[in-house]
Amino acid sequence: MGDYLALVAASLSFVGSHFLMSHPLRAPLVGRFGANGFMAVYSAISLITFVWMIIAFGHAPKTDALWPVGDVVSIAASALTLVAAVLFAGSFIRNPSLPGVPDALAAQTPSGVFKATRHPMMWGFALWGVGHILVAPRIDNFIFSGSIVFLALAGSKAQEIKKRSLMGGQWAKWLRRTHFFVRPAALLRAGIGPWVLGILIWTIATWAHPFWGVGGAGLFRWFDF
């Protein structure tokens, strides 16, 4: 495991700093730097630790795949990452969980991707991670993508606890009107905007994989456009 020490350290720093800055350290940091200053510190630390993760991931040993990655696995991973892109694309529209968004939005009727889940951005990251684990079942990727999956889902639950304490009954009503887990049928009714933008993001991202030294992602596994 020593060969993966740098990647483990970087991943723990990325995940741990998010939890610390979002919860026990948030109030002291806001008190010291102000709301805007806190967001600048939060963003800088998140970026630095994530870049460290990427660099450590690039240098980590690449073991053999733990299961065969054929067309069935690739189709499943492509579907998951497409859904992830749609959720991510729609998560910026009237999202009461985003920093700086008025708490009053929690009183709205869920629309768009929020019909499917109250955490579309987090589920976007989680499904992206699961999809990449499926097509790259190596120890280094379990650490890298697994850290993102854990942060997204555990962070979602932690966010709910924090929001409930800050907003009380208003947030409790939002919880009752929405769902934690993604509901596929509701996602199909999320509207044309998230789907068009999500498909665009997914297509560009899969097309760009060769620039990262990885070919054959998404439709580009079977078709050469």
Side-chain angles (χ1 to χ4, degrees), residues 10 13-14 17-18 21 39-55:
S13 297
F14 179 69
S17 62
H18 270 76
M21 290 188 295
M39 287 306 302
V41 171
Y42 185 98
S43 299
I45 293 176
S46 298
L47 179 61
I48 290 170
T49 53
F50 187 61
V51 169
W52 182 19
M53 272 184 73
I54 293 174
I55 294 173

Side-chain angles (χ1 to χ4, degrees), residues 94-98 100-110 163 166-171 173-174 177:
R94 299 185 65 79
N95 186 347
S97 298
L98 290 176
V101 173
D103 291 342
L105 282 182
Q108 68 182 323
T109 299
K163 286 287 187 178
L166 292 174
M167 298 170 59
Q170 192 174 24
W171 187 256
K173 291 178 181 178
W174 176 250
R177 292 196 302 271

